[in-house]
Amino acid sequence: PQETLMLLWSLIVSVYCIGGMIGCLCSGYLTAKFGKKKCLLFNDVVLITATLHTGFSRRAKSFEMILVGRFLEGIGIHMNAHVQYAGEISPKKLRGFINVTSTVFLALGKTVARILGLRELLGSQSLWPMLMASCGFPALVQLVALPFFPESPPYLLMHKGDQEGCKKAIRQLWGEGQHQAEIDDIMKEKATMKNTKILSVLELVKEPAFRWQLYMIVILTATIQLCGINAV
C-alpha cells in the first residue's frame, strides 16, 4: 500500500540521523580510548560495509539492505574524528586553515552529490545503487592511505604517555627540527585537563555557569533547521 511505501522511504531517510546520533554520542569515548587514526580506519570499514549494502540492494531486491546501509553510514564518526585528527597533526601556523578545509570539503561533497544525483547522471532508475555506493570510494582511498600516517602526537603524549612516540610522530609529520615548544604546549594542555572536571550531559544542563552558552548553541542549532536547508 502507498502508506506503507511512504513509511518505509521516510524511515530510510531518517535512519541516517539515528545512526548519526549514536555515532556522535560514541565518538568522544572511542577517540579517547583507541585514538583518532584507529577510529578513522574502523569508520572506513563501516562505510565500505554500508555502501556494499546499499550498492547491492537492488540486485538482492532488498529494501532492508538500504535501511542497514543508511544506518551504518550515519553511525560513521568520521566528522568528529577527522576534524580532531587533521587539527592535531597539522603545524600550529596551519591549524586554523586545516580545520576550515573540513567544512569546505563537506560543502563540496554535498554539491557533487547533488550533481551526480541528477537523472541525467547517476540518479536514473538503473544507476541509483551506484550513486548510493559512491561514498565508499573516498573511504577506500583513506583506508589504503591512512596506515602510512602516524597517530596524533597529542593523543600519544596525553592519553598514552608515549613521549618518544610523540616525538617520532612529530618528526614524521613536520620534518626534522626543534619541536620542543609544541611538546611543551601539549604537556601544559595535559596538566590543565587533569585539573578540569569533565561534565556529563546532565551536569552540563544543570550547571548555571554554562546556561547562557547552552541557550546560544540551542538557538543557533534550531535556527539552522528552520532556515530551509532541509527543504533544499
Side-chain angles (χ1 to χ4, degrees):
Q2 189 63 35
E3 293 79 8
T4 305
L5 288 175
M6 183 64 72
L7 176 63
L8 287 174
W9 284 119
S10 299
L11 183 59
I12 285 171
V13 172
S14 303
V15 76
Y16 180 87
C17 300
I18 297 172
M21 182 177 66
I22 295 174
C24 285
L25 291 173
C26 298
S27 63
Y29 170 78
L30 292 175
T31 52
K33 179 74 173 177
F34 301 106
K36 283 80 176 178
K37 178 183 172 181
K38 289 181 180 178
C39 284
L40 286 171
L41 289 171
F42 172 73
N43 183 77
D44 292 332
V45 175
V46 173
L47 271 177
I48 292 172
T49 304
T51 55
L52 289 175
H53 277 78
T54 54
F56 287 102
S57 59
R58 181 186 175 96
R59 185 179 294 271
K61 297 181 179 179
S62 170
F63 71 86
E64 294 90 347
M65 290 178 66
I66 306 179
L67 270 171
V68 172
R70 290 275 296 171
F71 177 72
L72 291 177
E73 286 175 1
I75 283 183
I77 59 174
H78 53 281
M79 282 304 299
N80 293 330
H82 169 75
V83 174
Q84 294 178 50
Y85 182 72
E88 290 178 1
I89 67 173
S90 57
K92 185 180 291 187
K93 61 181 179 180
L94 297 176
R95 197 161 295 160
F97 170 75
I98 295 297
N99 284 333
V100 169
T101 58
S102 62
T103 308
V104 173
F105 282 106
L106 176 62
L108 179 63
K110 289 183 176 182
T111 305
V112 171
R114 296 290 188 273
I115 295 172
L116 291 178
L118 296 173
R119 294 186 185 279
E120 293 78 8
L121 297 175
L122 296 181
S124 63
Q125 189 171 355
S126 59
L127 294 178
W128 65 260
M130 189 181 299
L131 175 65
M132 295 189 73
S134 60
C135 62
F137 176 71
L140 181 62
V141 172
Q142 182 171 268
L143 185 63
V144 173
L146 194 59
F148 296 99
F149 286 74
E151 182 55 88
S152 160
Y155 172 78
L156 291 172
L157 188 57
M158 295 171 63
H159 295 277
K160 293 294 184 181
D162 185 1
Q163 191 161 348
E164 287 303 316
C166 175
K167 291 179 180 179
K168 182 180 177 181
I170 287 176
R171 285 195 296 269
Q172 184 178 345
L173 290 166
W174 305 340
E176 298 294 335
Q178 295 296 324
H179 303 297
Q180 190 59 44
E182 287 82 357
I183 295 175
D184 291 340
D185 287 342
I186 298 173
M187 292 299 294
K188 289 177 183 177
E189 186 178 350
K190 182 179 181 180
T192 303
M193 286 182 63
K194 281 185 177 179
N195 299 323
T196 303
K197 181 185 177 184
I198 305 299
L199 299 178
S200 67
V201 176
L202 187 59
E203 288 174 332
L204 177 65
V205 172
K206 291 181 177 180
E207 179 59 50
F210 300 122
R211 192 65 48 80
W212 282 105
Q213 293 92 321
L214 195 61
Y215 288 159
M216 185 74 73
I217 291 172
V218 170
I219 292 170
L220 285 173
T221 308
T223 51
I224 288 174
Q225 302 303 315
L226 297 173
C227 72
I229 186 65
N230 291 336
V232 171

